[in-house]
Amino acid sequence: MENDCKNKDVYESYVVVHNIAKRHNVGTLARSATAFGVAELILVGRRDFNAFGSHGSTSHLRFRHFHSLSLARSYLKERDCDICGVEITENGMPVNEHPFRKSTAFLLGNEGTGLSEKECEICDFFIYIPQYGGGTASLNVTVAASIVLHHYAVWAGFSERTREGNKFIVSEKPTNQMRQRFCTETAEAIAEERKLKKENAANGFFNEGGKDEASGNLLDTLFDHIEGRLE
């Protein structure tokens, strides 16, 4: 799909992390996200993750947390983002055809089971990575993310980083937003999430049981305490 105005000031990419079984994969995802110019890595449900494999890249990436997929979806739609499921589906389009239209959030499936029905429901379209060898049924989630994010960066016309020798130059480390390997939130982010919860309640955007999809996370008590200090 052709794009007349390709640059990072116009288009942004996001990665949505939900239901990934191996928490250490998040660290590797963060490294790929940083390399390919992702605006934010969005954690849904659990806020903790293993930073193994990130090689310090988490300090260069914005993180945001939501308790449910519906809240993450509302946030992304407010930013006029498409939500793209990375999954081998019947109606999926090959990533090398660059079927992108605007800022896009990429939702990756569980390593074993792929995208769940609820995850598929929030997606606007699906892409898959064509394979040409017969030795495996699918790719590791972090490998798949790297390929997809690279294709999007090429389509969006992100500027290539300056190189020095055989490495790309790493920017100065910004103010550290990570604490104890979980995603912290500003008071503004918490207020925004609560606003979205109220709007979703008014719009009836809930599960069949009448409640918004909860994380079931034992760490919620800890983060309620943190949020209380931010208010």
Side-chain angles (χ1 to χ4, degrees), residues 9 37 74 95-96 99-100 103 106 108 129 140 148 153 162 164 179 184 201 216 226 229:
D9 294 329
S74 296
V95 67
N96 51 293
F100 312 116
S103 294
F106 295 97
L108 297 121
I129 301 166
N140 172 276
V148 167
T162 304
E164 187 174 88
R179 184 170 60 200
T184 60
I226 292 173
R229 296 206 311 266

Side-chain angles (χ1 to χ4, degrees), residues 1-230:
M1 190 176 295
E2 286 301 318
N3 182 356
D4 296 329
C5 187
K6 297 181 178 180
N7 64 72
K8 196 175 177 181
D9 294 329
V10 177
Y11 299 106
E12 290 187 320
S13 60
Y14 299 77
V15 173
V16 181
V17 175
H18 177 255
N19 198 30
I20 288 182
K22 300 175 182 177
R23 303 304 290 176
H24 64 266
N25 278 338
V26 179
T28 309
L29 278 172
R31 186 179 184 183
S32 296
T34 305
F36 299 122
V38 167
E40 288 183 347
L41 196 153
I42 296 173
L43 300 175
V44 180
R46 291 178 58 178
R47 304 186 206 197
D48 65 314
F49 65 91
N50 189 328
F52 177 80
S54 68
H55 286 254
S57 60
T58 53
S59 299
H60 298 270
L61 183 64
R62 295 203 310 268
F63 286 75
R64 190 175 295 271
H65 172 263
F66 294 99
H67 290 287
S68 69
L69 287 169
S70 61
L71 290 172
R73 177 188 181 277
S74 296
Y75 170 77
L76 292 165
K77 288 305 175 183
E78 279 192 351
R79 280 146 186 78
D80 193 30
C81 277
D82 275 340
I83 300 175
C84 174
V86 181
E87 185 64 280
I88 304 171
T89 63
E90 187 174 333
N91 60 344
M93 294 172 280
V95 67
N96 51 293
E97 292 186 4
H98 294 178
F100 312 116
R101 304 180 304 158
K102 53 185 177 180
S103 294
T104 303
F106 295 97
L107 178 58
L108 297 121
N110 178 276
E111 295 91 334
T113 59
L115 291 176
S116 68
E117 183 178 347
K118 289 187 180 297
E119 289 169 333
C120 289
E121 286 175 358
I122 72 166
C123 294
D124 298 301
F125 67 102
F126 299 90
I127 57 172
Y128 70 93
I129 301 166
Q131 293 186 188
Y132 307 99
T136 184
S138 62
L139 295 171
N140 172 276
V141 65
T142 58
V143 174
S146 296
I147 294 171
V148 167
L149 294 174
H150 179 267
H151 273 284
Y152 184 84
V154 171
W155 172 84
F158 291 175
S159 298
E160 184 180 322
R161 288 288 298 177
T162 304
R163 289 169 288 172
E164 187 174 88
N166 61 351
K167 299 282 186 179
F168 288 95
I169 295 176
V170 177
S171 59
E172 291 187 14
K173 186 177 293 188
T175 302
N176 192 0
Q177 66 163 326
M178 304 309 300
R179 184 170 60 200
Q180 298 178 6
R181 294 178 183 174
F182 56 72
C183 177
T184 60
E185 294 170 299
T186 63
E188 291 78 10
I190 294 167
E192 181 179 23
E193 181 168 336
R194 288 174 177 169
K195 174 186 172 185
L196 286 172
K197 281 184 179 179
K198 291 179 181 178
E199 291 175 353
N200 286 335
N203 294 331
F205 198 29
F206 289 106
N207 292 333
E208 293 179 0
K211 295 182 179 179
D212 196 16
E213 182 183 350
S215 66
N217 180 11
L218 294 177
L219 293 176
D220 281 348
T221 302
L222 168 64
F223 286 100
D224 286 342
H225 175 65
I226 292 173
E227 290 172 1
R229 296 206 311 266
L230 290 172

